[in-house]
Amino acid sequence: MLSVIRERWRQGHRTIAYPAGDLPVLPDRYRGLPCVDGAKCPSECRACADVCPTDALRFDAGVRIDMGRCLFCTDCTSACPEGAIAFTREFRTAARTRDALVTDGAAFPLARAVDAKSRRLFGRSLQLRQVSAGGCNACEADINVLATPVFDLGRFGIKVVASPRHADGIIVTGPVTANMRLALEKTYAAIPDPKCVIAVGACAISGGPFAGHDEQHGGCEGILPVDLHIPGCPPHPLTILDGILRWLGRIESSGAPTIDRDSNHSCGTLSTDTHAISTPYRP
Amino acid sequence: MTVITDCVKTFNSKPVRQADVPVVRFDDFRDALASTLASRDGELLALFGVPRGPQTVRVYGVTLEGMTGAIGLMATDVGERYPALTRDVSQAHWFEREIAEQWGVVPENHPWLKPIRFHRSYSSGRDAWNRVVGGAILPCVMPEGTDYFKIRGDEIHEVAVGPVHAGVIEPGHFRFQCHGEHVFTLEIEFGYQHRGIERRLIGGPDKRTLPLMETLAGDTSIGHATAYCQLIEGLGRVVAPLRAQAIRAAALELERLANHTGDLGALAGDVGYLPTLSYCGRIRGDFLNATALVCGNRFGRGLVRPGGVGFDIDEPMAAELRGRVEAAHRDVTGAANLLWSTSSVMARFEGTGTVPLATIRALGVTGTAGRASGHDRDARRDTPSGYHRYAQIPVSTWHTGDVFARAYVRHLEIQRSCEYLIENAPQLPAGDVRRDIGPLMVDAIGVSLIEGWRGPVCHVAMTGAEGTFSHYKVVDPSFRNWIGLAMALRDQPISDFPLCNKSFNLSYCGHDL
């Protein structure tokens, strides 16, 4: 017994302060919100698109990256002859709408809170049922990690539950394989109304690296009504936590700029308001 | 039975010309496989079909000889039906089901011929179960003429679990035949995670190949990416710089550490011992974050690249890495030692879910689960590639084959991996970290083996006349090990299923591909 207590003492207190205090600092090489300086792009240059494994580059309104497809592999950064693409250390990348994930990084809107009614329903207690529909176990692992003492999801009244009957919503990972579609739909149907859907990872949003395969459906779109999109391959646990908390209105969106210690990886000011225009810092 | 030696011998990631692979008569193929596996303590690394014209499938057998590290390749041509190899080569049991499902070839008298992934046959108009062309194929709904394993009798009941399980976990379907708490048999069915990766790899390598390798089994991103990269380096006749090989080896051990630590925590949680559960959940993250320190991604995505690695480790980072591993080593050892000194934990671990060594060998169970039953195999030592040729890691085994053994082997491997990293991380060989790969060998076949954290990750690539993949076969250790879990559950109380399952912790997507 004494050895158990001694070990408990030695292991210490490990829960992070987030969302209180300063933003956690992720490793220098962490690849978060992408930032594109379209002004640098020679016309008709498609070097980035040619190497992108998931066709995440968009050229319709300037040059933008679809984070719903992006695997954050940085192949585009290496291929770009002008150094126009960078991945910042900004981890707060979740979005309410699918369209908001298509960004050049300059004025990325942080996930905004749900309406007052949903907030009243879910804001203080959110029980989620997780369904992996073709997920590779990376997204699943980094959802699981939220239950460890480091993130301690329970302190926010959020819990992953075993039965859909006990759940307020569903967290989906994976590209929704053909063989898992029915089980996903049945699980969703078993959750009592009102309910929400959170899509975690490039696969659940767009099919990820499996997009276009006959064996899957290219994510939740068209199958379930997604309320919150959390991009990444996989998203960092902080991205998932921040996205859910912000969406529940548990973090008041302050619009504070990202503090980036590495100027080479700096990007624009984040905005909570899509109308706010900020001047991105160009390295 | 005569010993037949006419298979072509090769070594890890050393491709040979396809023309050099002997195509033998079926009987000779079967006898050679059986004798290699029996007399030379061999393992069946892969057995797969490649279509050769409308009526013929060429079946390739890839064997590993016990202690020589030689990989044997041979082939035989079969038509629509052939006598099942499983009757003489029991390790072939799951592979033959895969061949039947993919190519519509029937291995006659296979003891339990059922689909394993529930997709349409890749041979048009040919289906091993004569399912209607174009008809719906529902996962785990058995084709006519097959069924789940059944035991009949008064008071026998069946328990069905999944695909959606009571946790954050991938989907699969489990059927237990029980009498009260007592489990007679467990049968496991898969296919829910099937994403069609192998088919998409044909014609590559291309810009999507590496991301697909990294997501074959996301918790083994480093293992699969390394297996793929060293294979195409072999095919491209390029050797990755030594410094890159050392970084890959370090990343592989970090991946092993993160997963083994998580498993020890999960095992503690399943017997209700919360201290180790809590600590290991956090320490696992420390190892993942150490990987993120190197490459920015907790699962090592983007680190291992064809021709080398995408990220170098400079001296300050190497020192930081060493410091982090030292700290995590202390913490995980303390957390694990609580398990071995707590009698209520040991009472649940010891003697639960025992798989004897004879069963391990007969069914081809491998890796960590095999070593926990005394099967002294580790690709890092037996078929070393990359940096493992220069820096060895002792192999950890235990002899009891129970949940305790599978936990304790993880504990031992954690010790060895930490020692390896602490010693090697600060002294990487000098040089660059990436080289270009030229055109791949044409009409070649290569086999790559990496000892991932679950066991040997095996990739087999075949190239065509253009130097692109004409066939690609992936065998995740889970493919071979799920049957081990089914065996572990025999004559166990069903309440021990979660504990036994965690002690294997196998991949669903690694199986389903």
Side-chain angles (χ1 to χ4, degrees), chain A residues 137-160:
Chain A
N137 205 26
C139 286
E140 291 79 356
D142 269 353
I143 291 171
N144 244 333
V145 90
L146 296 177
T148 64
V150 179
F151 299 95
D152 193 12
L153 202 57
R155 67 192 154 127
F156 306 105
I158 306 168
K159 201 175 157 203
V160 179

Side-chain angles (χ1 to χ4, degrees), chain A residues 13-129:
Chain A
H13 174 80
R14 301 290 189 152
T15 305
I16 57 170
Y18 192 79
D22 291 340
L23 280 184
V25 179
L26 292 173
D28 288 345
R29 288 172 176 177
Y30 171 75
R31 306 162 233 152
L33 181 71
C35 154
V36 191
D37 183 357
K40 284 184 178 172
C41 297
S43 60
E44 304 303 315
C45 175
R46 294 289 183 268
C48 49
D50 290 344
V51 296
C52 178
T54 53
D55 302 322
L57 275 298
R58 293 265 195 95
F59 299 92
D60 46 0
V63 183
R64 298 182 297 166
I65 291 183
D66 181 354
M67 282 199 293
R69 291 175 171 226
C70 183
L71 304 180
F72 299 79
C73 69
T74 67
D75 282 354
C76 52
T77 315
S78 319
C80 179
E82 303 295 331
I85 305 174
F87 284 82
T88 70
R89 282 194 286 166
E90 176 55 65
F91 65 85
R92 299 172 296 173
T93 50
R96 290 280 304 278
T97 64
R98 178 71 182 81
D99 290 343
L101 292 174
V102 185
T103 179
D104 62 3
F108 179 72
L110 293 173
R112 284 180 297 169
V114 287
D115 58 63
K117 185 186 166 210
S118 301
R119 192 169 164 176
R120 199 169 60 243
L121 280 167
F122 303 135
R124 288 165 64 85
S125 163
L126 179 66
Q127 316 283 307
L128 295 165
R129 170 66 241 196

Side-chain angles (χ1 to χ4, degrees), chain A residues 29 31 75 129 134 177 211, chain B residues 165 192-193 208 218 294-295 305:
Chain A
R29 288 172 176 177
R31 306 162 233 152
D75 282 354
R129 170 66 241 196
T177 48
Chain B
H165 301 280
Y192 296 98
Q193 299 284 74
R208 214 186 257 194
V294 177
C295 72
R305 303 265 177 160

Side-chain angles (χ1 to χ4, degrees), chain A residues 129-140 143 170-177 180-181 183-184 187, chain B residues 163-165 167-172 192-193 508-509:
Chain A
R129 170 66 241 196
Q130 204 276 330
V131 176
S132 169
C136 75
N137 205 26
C139 286
E140 291 79 356
I143 291 171
I170 191 168
I171 288 195
V172 185
T173 53
V176 187
T177 48
M180 199 50 200
R181 179 177 179 159
L184 174 65
T187 307
Chain B
V164 179
H165 301 280
V168 183
I169 190 167
E170 299 173 64
Y192 296 98
Q193 299 284 74
Y508 300 77
C509 57

